[in-house]
Amino acid sequence: MVPATPGGGKRRRYHLRTVQIDLREPWRIDAVEIPTRLVLAPMAGVSVQAFRRQGRRFGAGLVCSEMVSCAGIEHRNERTLGYLRVAADEHPLAIQIFGSEPATMAEAARMVEAAGADLVDINFGCPVRKVTKTGAGATLLDDPERACRIVGAVADAVDVPVSVKMRRGLENGARTCLDVGPRLVGAGARTLTLHPRSAKQMYTGTADHSLTAELVDLVDVPVIASGDITSRARAQAVLATTGAAAVMVGRGAQGNPWALREIVDGDDTEPSREEVVAELVLFIRETVRELGERRASGFLKKFYGWYLGRGRFPRPFKQEVVTLASTEEVERRLIAAAPGSLTLIERLEEELPGGDDVLLDLPISLYGGG
Ligand SMILES: Cc1cc2nc3c(=O)[nH]c(=O)nc-3n(C[C@H](O)[C@H](O)[C@H](O)COP(=O)(O)O)c2cc1C
């Protein structure tokens, strides 16, 4: 039996110098077993299937989709439904939904479950105006009654566990999460993820994980700590001082799956240029399969900067790649810069399940609304 909170979790804090936390220790959210204590963050415009599958390969025990609009699901918006494609090798996977109406959220959760998600995650953290002005995302932290009704309706609608991701509150210095968190658990949330910045902060300042520690003490479900975790040392410190079940990594993994390997296994070898190109080429190919060439070529540009930066390639090379018109040209240019990557790419492709195994189409009933 895998414990719900590895290392004893609640109330047992370890002295940093005496205990090495094992990031490879499995844990669980109800029946969902999570093989490592590292979770890949949901990130809009980033967490495509290629990102999630790569995250799993590099040591993330749980991966998350980007937030998916429940209104988009309700209206069977084609692009929204595309977010619900689940690959065979990305489990366990959480699909995150956002919205403000309990009934619509419940209906979206049913579709998310039918699509194959192992967890339904609810977004109470998005600070972006486009989302908050509709009464969704972080604003729900100031309307705990509605937030609880949403969690209750979603938990009633599905058999898989429901999790909630939230910020500390709306205003700087807010401690709202400590009041709302336990109420959400009472309403049916089986896990809470806390990104302890205020919505107002967006991504400025630092994540205050002393709040994460307080939240851990208040609830009897696993808590996931999100915010500013970019190294094994930081991950271990946050786990040890908060009692959280797992850490979540977002920006640190953008164009840098090797950070996940360092965090989970302590392997801090810098990737060679060949490895960087091989991972990027694979990422490009998968993303083109997922989004189509037209959408993928725009979407991928920020990834070129992320992969090729960090002193891995000279700046003019990065700038040149970003200006190329098609992903095929990008691929050719990358391989020309690191010809040894070809064998690595072949090996990676061989190890991965092939095309049709990956993009599992949704059950037809989802499109038809039946
Ligand atoms: C580009 C971007 C998009 C994000 N999109 C989402 C999202 O869709 N849902 C969500 O709950 N959090 C989202 N977040 C927040 C992250 O999941 C995470 O909590 C935050 O970035 C702090 O972690 P980090 O310091 O490891 O990046 C996003 C963050 C970034 C940078």
Side-chain angles (χ1 to χ4, degrees):
M1 180 80 179
V2 178
T5 46
K10 212 174 157 193
R11 281 179 214 293
R12 277 218 261 146
R13 305 260 161 71
Y14 297 111
H15 195 278
L16 264 181
R17 255 170 259 147
T18 55
V19 172
Q20 283 296 305
I21 303 263
D22 181 7
L23 270 290
R24 283 248 172 227
E25 192 180 357
W27 58 292
R28 55 195 315 145
I29 302 170
D30 293 342
V32 180
E33 185 170 332
I34 301 167
T36 71
R37 298 178 68 179
L38 176 60
V39 179
L40 192 62
M43 286 186 283
V46 177
S47 300
V48 288
Q49 205 178 75
F51 185 75
R52 305 189 308 248
R53 296 177 74 215
Q54 182 189 59
R56 292 283 288 120
R57 270 193 295 123
F58 277 84
L62 175 66
V63 295
C64 304
S65 76
E66 65 178 86
M67 57 180 193
V68 184
S69 156
C70 74
I73 295 179
E74 187 188 21
H75 295 118
R76 306 295 189 261
N77 177 295
E78 202 178 317
R79 187 177 281 204
T80 309
L81 292 179
Y83 292 131
L84 303 186
R85 288 211 196 95
V86 176
D89 61 347
E90 50 179 321
H91 297 285
L93 162 80
I95 292 186
Q96 187 185 70
I97 53 175
F98 72 96
S100 60
E101 288 301 325
T104 318
M105 288 287 273
E107 177 56 24
R110 273 188 215 104
M111 302 225 352
V112 160
E113 183 181 43
D118 302 286
L119 294 155
V120 177
D121 189 55
I122 301 177
N123 181 314
F124 289 161
C126 182
V128 175
R129 176 130 178 86
K130 196 171 133 196
V131 169
T132 54
K133 74 173 184 210
T134 67
T139 35
L140 282 158
L141 295 173
D142 267 5
D143 190 352
E145 230 167 77
R146 179 179 280 269
C148 286
R149 276 194 284 123
I150 290 173
V151 170
V154 168
D156 284 346
V158 294
D159 290 330
V160 296
V162 173
S163 55
V164 171
K165 184 163 178 287
M166 59 184 175
R167 291 220 171 200
R168 66 182 294 164
L170 296 187
E171 299 301 324
N172 293 346
R175 295 167 60 81
T176 321
C177 58
L178 302 180
D179 167 47
V180 177
R183 294 171 68 177
L184 299 176
V185 172
R190 303 298 299 146
T191 302
L192 299 175
T193 300
L194 180 63
H195 175 202
R197 280 187 171 86
S198 69
K200 199 174 209 167
Q201 271 182 291
M202 304 289 282
Y203 295 94
T204 63
T206 50
D208 178 0
H209 284 295
S210 68
L211 279 172
T212 313
E214 287 191 60
L215 183 66
V216 168
D217 277 344
L218 291 171
V219 295
D220 58 3
V221 298
V223 171
I224 301 170
S226 169
D228 304 343
I229 292 158
T230 51
S231 68
R232 181 173 175 83
R234 184 73 188 133
Q236 295 207 329
V238 168
L239 287 171
T241 55
T242 63
V247 286
M248 179 178 270
V249 175
R251 289 166 295 173
Q254 291 171 338
N256 199 18
W258 299 277
L260 302 176
R261 188 173 68 185
E262 192 269 330
I263 290 171
V264 174
D265 293 323
D267 177 355
D268 61 359
T269 326
E270 281 295 318
S272 64
R273 282 191 176 175
E274 285 71 23
E275 282 175 279
V276 171
V277 165
E279 282 299 333
L280 178 52
V281 166
L282 192 73
F283 193 86
I284 292 170
R285 289 181 186 174
E286 281 193 60
T287 306
V288 169
R289 267 216 314 261
E290 187 179 348
L291 304 180
E293 168 68 21
R294 215 169 64 88
R295 258 178 83 199
S297 63
F299 171 89
L300 284 164
K301 287 195 189 294
K302 56 185 179 282
F303 284 88
Y304 302 151
W306 289 336
Y307 274 91
L308 305 175
R310 303 174 193 270
R312 291 171 182 158
F313 284 85
R315 187 185 285 259
F317 178 69
K318 201 172 78 179
Q319 285 162 342
E320 182 198 332
V321 167
V322 174
T323 58
L324 296 173
S326 73
T327 59
E328 258 176 44
E329 283 171 79
V330 171
E331 195 177 304
R332 268 201 303 275
R333 188 67 191 87
L334 289 172
I335 292 172
S341 61
L342 263 178
T343 29
L344 290 178
I345 297 167
E346 274 167 28
R347 198 183 316 149
L348 280 171
E349 292 242 328
E350 261 168 38
E351 282 166 11
L352 290 172
D356 288 348
D357 298 343
V358 173
L359 290 181
L360 295 183
D361 259 332
L362 297 170
I364 207 82
S365 59
L366 290 190
Y367 289 110

